[in-house]
Amino acid sequence: MFATSCLVEKSFEIWPGKLSFAAAGGGAREALDVAMDVARDLSRPVLADAELLATGQENVLPRGRAGRIAVETAARFHEALPQIEFPPSLAAMPGAICDVILEGMYDAAQASGGVDSIVVSLGDVIAVHQEPGVAGGAGGVAPPLLGEFVSALGEGVQGGAAIAGSQSAFPTSGPLDIVAVQSKSAAMAGFAAATVADASADAVSVSKGASPRDRLFAFAWRDHFIAGPAGLVDAELVWQALSVSVRQAAALRDKQFLRAAALGFKGRGRTTGPVDGDRLLRFGVSEWR
């Protein structure tokens, strides 16, 4: 049996929504106090940095640490795979915020009795740290789909995870319902999830969807096709769309940009990496292969 412990939770409002964080272990209370302090510090430059990233300009210099991490993350993807059309660098920003807060929480917990697990959630992305032998999802801190995906990864999960696809807040060009990704960091997971979801754009023809409700996401994706509902899709095209995106996930995995991924579309799914597909019940998948 894996070890489990009770998460203590708090939340904070920041762009682009509700930032939630939780910790378990001897230093959990101290970690949460630091999380609030770091979140307040981040809230000052984060909106201006998000607006800067939304312009799509290259070589920008954000003021805050989260903005700089987002820019650096996108640059690493572009340098490693220049032939791929990537989403706007803003896709890495929510995860970067989570990464900065988790780092502060971990340092505070280690100095105050240790920690069993930490989860930081913002929208459809989380940063997570689980000590070896500790298992469990993200409790009520993360959206149910994301929490279930983390649970399917087993024990000792570290880094970040994110959800993209039509059931997420991330705008994507592909028709897939769900793309869940786990990576070394939440910033990388968010950027990778959007990239994998976009890969299936040419596999199934869908109508253009509505602009994102968030004004910065809408501005950043202004020159990108945003997929609308797929409607009825032939089974062969379902598997074709999944195959295209899983090949993209495999390419990113080869470059160590993601560790595991799970994709769902019209009740069918694919996985890559160490994730237990049989435990992904909320993904609505009736056949994994």
Side-chain angles (χ1 to χ4, degrees), residues 161-231:
I163 295 283
S166 65
Q167 295 187 24
S168 80
F170 277 116
T172 51
S173 301
L176 300 191
D177 299 321
I178 310 166
V179 172
V181 164
Q182 192 246 329
S183 189
K184 296 177 182 177
S185 71
M188 291 179 68
F191 199 76
T195 301
V196 173
D198 283 350
S200 60
D202 295 330
V204 176
S205 178
V206 295
S207 60
K208 186 174 178 62
S211 296
R213 280 183 274 183
D214 181 88
R215 68 176 181 87
L216 294 182
F217 278 141
F219 186 60
W221 270 262
R222 64 195 178 280
D223 297 327
H224 294 251
F225 178 84
I226 299 174

Side-chain angles (χ1 to χ4, degrees), residues 10-144:
K10 285 188 179 181
S11 62
F12 186 91
E13 290 295 325
I14 193 172
W15 180 88
K18 180 181 177 182
L19 176 68
S20 298
F21 28 83
R29 298 288 179 182
E30 290 79 5
L32 291 176
D33 290 342
V34 167
M36 292 295 289
D37 293 338
V38 176
R40 290 189 188 98
D41 290 340
L42 284 176
S43 66
R44 297 185 181 96
V46 73
L47 190 58
D49 287 347
E51 290 175 340
L52 183 62
L53 267 61
T55 65
Q57 299 179 51
E58 297 183 2
N59 302 318
V60 296
L61 185 61
R63 291 187 299 159
R65 188 176 172 207
R68 293 193 294 271
I69 289 174
V71 169
E72 292 165 2
T73 297
R76 289 179 61 188
F77 278 72
H78 282 280
E79 290 169 5
L81 295 164
Q83 73 277 15
I84 293 178
E85 183 176 351
F86 288 104
S89 58
L90 193 63
M93 185 69 168
I97 295 170
C98 295
D99 288 330
V100 173
I101 292 177
L102 184 141
E103 182 180 355
M105 292 178 69
Y106 179 79
D107 291 342
Q110 289 296 91
S112 306
V115 66
D116 294 329
S117 63
I118 299 173
V119 179
V120 183
S121 170
L122 181 57
D124 287 318
V125 61
I126 65 171
V128 59
H129 171 88
Q130 295 174 348
E131 289 293 305
V134 175
V141 181

